[in-house]
Amino acid sequence: MYGKAFAPEYQGALTTLSVNSSLTDVLAAGTEQLRAAERAGQPGEAARSGLAVAEAHRRLGRVEDADRAWKASYRAARQAGDVGAMAWALWSGGTLARQRGALRLARRLLQLAADLGERGGDIVVRGYSLAGLAETGRIQGDYEAVGRLHEQLLAEARRRGEARHTVWALEGIAQMHRNTGRYDTAYALFEEAAEIAARADDRRGHAWALRGLADVVSVRDGDTERALELLSQAETACRAMRLSSALAYNHKMRGNVLYRAGRYAEARELYELALAEFREMSEPRGEALSRLGLAKSLARLGRDRAETAAELADLAVLLERIGLQHARRMVARAHEELGIPAAGQAATEAAR
């Protein structure tokens, strides 16, 4: 049995906040409590309220504010000698680094957070940090290395009845199955995640699970309208909670669904919207994926082949720099799908 989902990153005087609290409400409450703690000379409370501030900024896409906030939280925690709070601040910093595409830094900060969590006896931050490491590896496409860690964290979350972490692990495992073509398995796991999230009132987890279901329904079944309906349900939750990043990924997925249905002009509009959203929050992974979808849509709408080839070549370099193996494979498939040789292949053909 799973209890109601909770948000362990809302700590100290902010534990009354819900996992479904609007991020603007979290930011307002966290900032107020942070200022009060600083006035009272309470660095431990400042560290924990500062964590909520950092996470609200991060999820709203305000990366510079989030960067300053997690570092301030860490300094306050160190001043207070609170190892657990130090670990949580590092977890926030590592998660932000992953969001910004700095995957090597993300790994370093998350490993430090996991180590401090273990040293301080905080199994929750340890678990969240290991989950962050697993997600970083999954985003990079290193499925063999992180698959076992996902399964381990899923087992731990099930054993403790932690709905939110169970949902996260199920969605991560499902995504790996989806990316390797095991659509039925992916669908079943996304469906289980959606059911657990709904029962636990975890609206964020539920929105991500619906996005996953929409993707599989689109690519496996070709059911465009059902996929769009699932995405509309998810978007409602994203807007209610001001989940900027999740909303942008929702729009990008809507573009994917429309593209697969051959509705290229509509797909172009969604990719352009997602691209603007990702650029505003400085999220390079989402930006690159949106650019890829936009390039494919424009190619289908008659864009010059040389321009498309140049765009794909630029994306390949960018994704190589970020370290996204699966996304690089997506660029290679785009070349094949559009009948546009990659740079090396084109040179070889020209020499024949």
Side-chain angles (χ1 to χ4, degrees), residues 103 107 137-144 319-320 322-333:
L103 301 185
R107 285 179 176 277
R138 177 175 57 78
I139 286 171
Q140 289 181 289
D142 194 4
Y143 299 157
E144 184 176 351
L319 293 167
E320 179 73 33
I322 298 174
L324 302 179
Q325 298 174 28
H326 177 67
R328 291 203 307 272
R329 290 192 289 270
M330 290 172 64
V331 173
R333 286 199 297 272

Side-chain angles (χ1 to χ4, degrees), residues 71-319:
K71 289 174 180 175
S73 174
Y74 179 81
R75 289 193 297 270
R78 187 172 57 188
Q79 181 184 347
D82 189 331
V83 175
M86 290 167 64
W88 276 109
L90 289 168
W91 165 78
S92 180
T95 306
L96 176 65
R98 183 177 65 241
Q99 182 173 314
R100 299 177 79 171
L103 301 185
R104 185 177 301 176
L105 176 60
R107 285 179 176 277
R108 183 160 62 87
L109 292 175
L110 290 165
Q111 187 61 64
L112 287 170
D115 294 342
L116 280 180
E118 186 168 7
R119 192 202 315 169
D122 189 328
I123 61 171
V124 178
V125 71
R126 174 186 171 276
Y128 269 60
S129 301
L130 291 175
L133 285 168
E135 186 164 347
T136 303
R138 177 175 57 78
I139 286 171
Q140 289 181 289
D142 194 4
Y143 299 157
E144 184 176 351
V146 301
R148 290 186 297 276
L149 183 53
H150 271 80
E151 295 285 358
Q152 171 195 329
L153 293 169
L154 173 60
E156 291 180 6
R158 286 192 192 279
R159 188 165 58 249
R160 292 197 296 267
E162 291 181 4
R164 190 181 178 203
H165 225 181
T166 299
V167 167
W168 166 85
L170 284 168
E171 290 172 352
I173 296 167
Q175 191 64 51
M176 287 187 279
H177 283 297
R178 180 262 178 264
N179 289 348
T180 50
R182 294 188 285 272
Y183 299 127
D184 292 344
T185 302
Y187 185 91
L189 292 169
F190 278 129
E191 188 173 47
E192 182 183 359
E195 291 171 355
I196 293 173
R199 290 199 302 269
D201 195 25
D202 174 7
R203 295 174 197 168
R204 182 185 295 114
H206 191 247
W208 281 107
L210 291 178
R211 176 185 173 276
L213 285 171
D215 186 23
V216 177
V217 164
S218 167
V219 73
R220 182 190 68 178
D221 305 333
D223 193 338
T224 302
E225 295 312 312
R226 184 175 172 225
L228 293 175
E229 180 185 346
L230 289 166
L231 289 170
S232 293
Q233 293 176 36
E235 181 166 348
T236 299
C238 292
R239 291 192 180 280
M241 296 176 64
R242 295 289 304 276
L243 299 173
S244 302
S245 180
L247 182 60
Y249 275 105
N250 183 292
H251 290 154
K252 188 202 64 82
M253 181 56 69
R254 188 177 288 269
N256 291 356
V257 170
L258 292 167
Y259 179 87
R260 291 170 190 149
R263 293 159 62 173
Y264 302 125
E266 293 174 83
R268 178 192 61 197
E269 292 178 4
L270 268 296
Y271 287 131
E272 288 174 340
L273 173 60
L275 179 58
E277 291 170 327
F278 285 124
R279 281 179 171 163
E280 185 177 356
M281 66 183 76
S282 300
E283 188 162 336
R285 174 172 167 260
E287 182 180 338
L289 293 173
S290 298
R291 280 180 59 193
L292 176 59
L294 181 57
K296 291 168 60 178
S297 298
L298 290 172
R300 294 293 191 183
L301 292 168
R303 186 188 193 186
D304 181 77
R305 286 171 61 85
E307 291 181 10
T308 301
E311 178 80 1
L312 293 178
D314 186 60
L315 280 169
V317 172
L318 173 61
L319 293 167

Side-chain angles (χ1 to χ4, degrees), residues 52-68:
V53 171
E55 282 301 286
H57 278 310
R58 181 182 67 79
R59 290 165 178 164
L60 286 166
R62 303 169 183 172
V63 294
E64 298 301 330
D65 291 328
D67 192 53
R68 285 190 291 269

Side-chain angles (χ1 to χ4, degrees), residues 29-45:
T31 301
E32 180 181 358
Q33 185 57 36
L34 173 59
R35 289 171 179 163
E38 289 173 339
R39 287 194 301 268
Q42 299 174 324
E45 182 59 33

